[in-house]
Structures are given as C-alpha cells and as structure tokens.
Amino acid sequence: MSIRKVVAQAPGRVNLIGEHIDYSDGFVLPFAIANVTTATITEREDSIITVASVQRKSLSYKTALEKLAPLTGEDWARYPLGVVWAMKDLGITRGMDILIDGKVPLGAGLSSSAALECSIATGLNALFNLGRTKEDLARLTQRAENLYVGVPCGIMDQSVSLMAHEGSALLLDCRDLSTRNIPFDIAPHGLELLIIDTQAHHALVDGGYAERRASCEKAVAELGITSLRDISVADYEQAGKSLDATIYIRGLHAVTEMKRVLDTVAALEAADFTRVGQLLNESHRSLRDDYTVSCPELNLAVDAALSTGALGARMVGGGFGGSAIALARVEDIEMMKSAISQAFAAKSYRAPRFFTSLPSEGAHVVSQM
Ligand code: ADP
Ligand code: MG
C-alpha cells in the first residue's frame, strides 16, 4: 500500500462575551485566535499508534488501535488518543504516527486542548475519508475530552475551533447548539484584541464555580421558570424581589449577560465598536460585582487597559485568575502592554503575558498526500 499522510491545523479561542451563562442555556460569542496547533498524521501498515509533541520533548507515547481505553496513557497523550478513540468506529482501520506542534499557549485559557483535539479530528476525517461534518467533529472531540481525558467541558471550545471564520465571531446557542457567524472584522477599523494572561490562579476556596451554578439553579426553581434564558431583565428584576439577595444577584448576572451577548451581536452587525467596548465593560462589572468571580489581577489588567485607551475590556473564562481581553486601537497596544506590566510590577504581581489576535479561520487541512 502507499502510505498516506495529512497535515491539519486548528486554532485556540477567546470568548468575546457571554461568560458563565453556558450552563443557563445562554449564548456565547467566541472567536478563533491566530495561534494554531498543527497535527501531522501518517498512516501505518499495522495498528500501532504513536504520539509525540514538540511541546513535550522527553515524552512520546505508543499504543495500539485496539488497546485504546478511556483515562489511560500519559496525561497530555490522552487528548490526541481520545480523539482517535472517539472516531475509531467511524472507519479508522490502521494505526498512525501523530506529531503535534502547538502554538496556542498551554493553560492560558485560550483552549490549547480544543486546538489539539480539533487538529487531530480534522486530520483523521481527511486521512480516512470519514465524511464527518464540523458539527459531528465538535460532538466527537467533546466526547473525547469528557470521557477519554476526563474533563467535563462544554462544546463551545471545539465548536469555535472547528467552525470559526476569519473576521467573524461565532454565536453559539447553548440550548440547541445552533451557530451563526457574526461579522467581527476589526482589522479594517484599526482595531485588535489584546489578550492579557495575568498568570494568576487563585484556588476556589469557597467552591466558587459550584456555588455560582447552584445559585442560578435555585433562582430558576424559585421563580418557577425553565431557565434564566426564559425571563427578560425587567421581569427578573420584578420577580426577583422575592429571592434571597445572593441568589438574586447571581441570577441577575446571567440574565443581563445574555442580553449583552445579543446587544453585542447587534452592535457588531452595525460595526459599532464603541458600543461593543461598553458592553465588554458592563460584562466585566457584572462578573466582578454581581457574580464575584474576578480577582485583583484581572481588575487591574482591565483598569490599566481602559486608562490607556481601550474601547472596552473584561475578564474572560471561569475567573479567579486567567486572562482578560481588551478591544484596542492597534497604535495604543504597545503603550497599553507596558502600562499593564508596570501596574503589575508596582503591586508585585507575577508579570503578565500578552497575545494579540484578529478573529481567524477555524480548523482546516493544510496538505494531504
Ligand atoms: P487550555 O485548554 O486552556 O490551554 P487545558 O488544561 O484544558 O488548558 O489543556 C491543556 C492541556 O492540553 C495540556 O496540559 C496538555 O496536556 C494538553 N496539550 C495542549 N496542547 C498540547 C501540545 N501542543 N502538546 C502536548 N500537550 C498539549
Ligand atoms: Mg481546555
């Protein structure tokens, strides 16, 4: 037989707006960043699978197609092997050598894990002619991460890594998983997204995530509604008077954030980036004061970005550390970075890391032979 080979790439992502509402049937509006993970997959004549990563020099991992089993193998190798496992019965008939080169920073909240999974899934789909759609690949890679790696992630990261388009954000409805591309073409407007990795990671001493989620569920139960998606901000403010104060304010974040996502979509469709900036600021205020999932480093990054001309800025991701984003004019970015670095140094915080990105293309095959 002739040995076939494929090279496929998939990007990391940032969520522009729609934070902590995926579990309330909300909307999220992520976009793909320019940093990608590249997977080179070479078919073998036997059923052996080897995986190696440029980012994991000392380790490569060897197994066989029939031996794949969830929660086995080196930590990092579970990600690529999980995808092979999830797609195995769709027509993968031989072993393979997988080489990974990831340019998405690991563990910075930019979803290097989805970039890795989606590069493999896109490569396998082409190499073995599996004919799967991007929606199929999103479900398969999520399944790999949930069951094989053992991380209970949602489907946002994989969806955007697979389906994103250059100059667009992806509106994902977490209720029915339908998606819509929204124009987010900031380059012609002289704008860029600055991503600030605060390098802070605060332990959730108070069981932060579970408490927030339980509060939202309690608000839903006490208001007798199906989800926080199904109530307007005005009705919530009215009905919520009967709720415990903490539960009320948590739910208030969710209902207002859902509205902000849809308002952001309208602002983007009108290319009104000033309004987008305001909505990012309102999202941050809500996450900081109502949902209380921010932290001093994130707040400092946001404040320093705003004081050096950002149109808007907010924390992204789960909170208590991780990254913030700022929508900024290209010419302001260098000054913004040094202002943020100086503010961090003055407080003796760990030095932040910076990435800039334009909304980029989703996963694709680079070459096949
Ligand atoms: P994030 O997705 O936000 O970057 P995660 O903890 O979900 O953070 O995923 C990071 C993990 O994914 C790494 O610890 C590693 O196990 C795996 N990973 C991602 N990219 C690579 C890579 N290029 N090489 C090896 N492992 C990788
Ligand atoms: Mg991840």
Side-chain angles (χ1 to χ4, degrees), residues 5 18 44 66 89 97 115 194-195 216 292 336 368:
K5 178 177 165 179
R44 293 173 61 108
E66 60 280 3
D89 295 338
D97 297 316
L194 177 65
I195 301 160
C216 288
T292 59
M336 196 170 288
Q368 193 171 4

Side-chain angles (χ1 to χ4, degrees), residues 64 214 344:
F344 272 55

Side-chain angles (χ1 to χ4, degrees), residues 31-32 164-170 181-188 268 273 358-362:
F31 65 93
H165 286 302
E166 195 181 328
S168 293
L170 190 76
N181 277 290
I182 307 297
F184 184 38
D185 203 7
I186 52 180
L268 288 174
F273 296 107
L358 291 169
S360 302
E361 191 63 26

Side-chain angles (χ1 to χ4, degrees), residues 13 37-38 52-56 74-80 100-117 145 149 151 153 157:
R13 64 91 189 97
T37 296
T38 304
S53 163
V54 175
Q55 284 69 45
R56 292 285 184 274
E74 296 289 344
D75 249 4
W76 70 271
R78 283 182 192 170
Y79 290 86
I100 297 149
D101 189 2
K103 297 281 193 281
V104 182
L106 272 61
L110 301 178
S111 207
S112 68
S113 56
L116 173 50
E117 292 153 3
E145 185 156 343
V149 185
V151 175
C153 62
D157 299 354

Side-chain angles (χ1 to χ4, degrees), residues 216-276:
C216 288
E217 280 161 13
K218 207 138 190 224
V220 165
E222 290 188 10
L223 295 176
I225 52 179
T226 37
S227 88
L228 290 170
R229 166 82 168 267
D230 297 321
I231 189 163
S232 69
V233 175
D235 287 349
Y236 183 82
E237 283 170 348
Q238 188 58 34
K241 290 190 177 125
S242 62
L243 297 175
D244 160 87
T246 302
I247 291 174
Y248 172 73
I249 200 117
R250 303 287 190 252
L252 185 65
H253 164 73
V255 292
T256 58
E257 184 78 355
M258 291 193 208
K259 178 163 187 318
R260 280 187 290 272
V261 176
L262 299 180
D263 289 350
T264 303
V265 169
L268 288 174
E269 284 172 338
D272 183 351
F273 296 107
T274 306
R275 178 76 187 126
V276 173

